[in-house]
Amino acid sequence: MTHTAPEEATQSVPVVGIVLAAGFGTRFDPNEPKQLVSIAGKPIVCWSIEAFEINDAVSDIVVAVNPQVRDHVERLVDEYGYAKVRSIVNGGAERVDSTLATLDLLSQADIPQQAKVLIHDAVRPFVEQPAITGCVEALDQYSAATVALASTDTMLITEDLGDRKVVRSVPDRANMFRAQTPQAFRFSTIIKAYELAADDPDFHPTDDTRVVVEYLPQEPVAIVAGSASNLKVTTKADIPVAEQIAERLQAGLR
């Protein structure tokens, strides 16, 4: 069975970068959303938007934000001149709410069903261009793809045994990857997956790839090579590492 997308794959379709920047990240600072914290003089959300802005394959950008900082993000978009940002929408309390808000916006805009949609966490400010381009290209053959980094650690599957977790199995490390973003989909695929998930009362996804894997198991999700620099800024302890990565990038080093 081949997994080549329908004939529209050979035609020009919109490629939309969705930047999810609505979380407040209480593990970081309950009074300051980490997306607005500056790294090497540039807000984290701007690093993420810019990664899609400069990619030739990306035609449009949509940003989901916390309503409390929407005005601030709108000013930043104007200040930095991000011409591909078509809309800034209010996100929700959970990541899935923000994803659904952006997908609903695209539905209302009558985006083609075969459009390519790349969903990215704003707090991964240093996603590399080959990862973005790799996602776009993977969708020529598959209907879903995700950036992931091969695990260098042995992973353990555990279970609860009384008050302690114990090892149940040790999967082959060669098949273990650490999920990153962007996660990419044909628009019709991610919409269908979420429609099916909405009927499940136990629906609590942690990311968009999981929705496709669980509710459209017949759709293979291609792996696109990630990188160690595609750091997720989660706590203040990540800031020094992020500063080092930013300095290398600004110096043209990898």
Side-chain angles (χ1 to χ4, degrees):
M1 176 181 179
T2 60
H3 299 289
T4 304
E7 61 182 20
E8 289 91 338
T10 61
Q11 302 173 4
S12 176
V13 296
V15 177
V16 183
I18 293 175
V19 178
L20 302 180
F24 241 85
T26 54
R27 284 179 290 178
F28 186 90
D29 185 338
N31 299 312
E32 181 179 26
K34 57 190 171 185
Q35 295 90 334
L36 299 181
V37 171
S38 287
I39 302 294
K42 186 186 300 181
I44 287 174
V45 67
C46 291
W47 281 97
S48 292
I49 294 173
E50 197 163 296
F52 291 90
E53 179 75 24
I54 66 175
N55 191 287
D56 290 339
V58 176
S59 58
D60 308 276
I61 300 171
V62 176
V63 185
V65 300
N66 188 298
Q68 297 180 49
V69 298
R70 179 168 178 163
D71 289 346
H72 191 162
V73 174
E74 288 176 344
R75 288 195 298 271
L76 287 172
V77 169
D78 288 340
E79 177 185 341
Y80 282 88
Y82 296 135
K84 291 181 182 179
V85 175
R86 310 302 182 195
S87 185
I88 297 175
V89 300
N90 291 338
E94 304 291 337
R95 185 186 188 281
V96 62
D97 300 319
S98 297
T99 296
L100 290 173
T102 60
L103 295 178
D104 182 60
L105 174 75
L106 295 179
S107 292
Q108 292 182 38
D110 292 325
I111 189 172
Q113 291 295 297
Q114 288 304 311
K116 300 178 180 182
V117 177
L118 281 64
I119 305 175
H120 185 63
D121 294 333
V123 291
R124 290 188 183 273
F126 308 120
V127 58
E128 296 182 352
Q129 292 302 300
I132 295 175
T133 302
C135 282
V136 176
E137 292 175 347
L139 292 181
D140 288 339
Q141 183 177 2
Y142 296 89
S143 293
T146 184
V147 175
L149 185 64
S151 176
T152 57
D153 297 317
T154 296
M155 308 298 286
L156 305 175
I157 305 297
T158 67
E159 62 183 355
D160 291 325
L161 189 65
D163 60 351
R164 188 181 295 271
K165 285 189 177 294
V166 298
V167 176
R168 178 163 59 84
S169 63
V170 182
D172 184 355
R173 188 173 68 186
N175 293 322
M176 295 294 103
F177 286 77
R178 293 160 49 196
Q180 298 183 338
T181 64
Q183 298 177 353
F185 313 91
R186 288 287 180 163
F187 186 61
S188 58
T189 298
I190 192 63
I191 287 293
K192 180 62 175 178
Y194 270 108
E195 286 176 350
L196 294 171
D199 294 330
D200 184 350
D202 297 321
F203 172 54
H204 298 292
T206 54
D207 68 6
D208 304 295
T209 293
R210 183 176 178 182
V211 180
V212 172
V213 169
E214 290 193 5
Y215 297 98
L216 291 175
Q218 74 280 8
E219 291 288 353
V221 180
I223 294 292
V224 176
S227 66
S229 63
N230 194 8
L231 170 76
K232 184 177 182 180
V233 179
T234 303
T235 70
K236 288 187 175 181
D238 296 319
I239 294 298
V241 178
E243 290 281 0
Q244 293 173 6
I245 296 172
E247 290 171 4
R248 291 201 305 271
L249 292 174
Q250 290 178 333
L253 302 174
R254 292 291 176 182

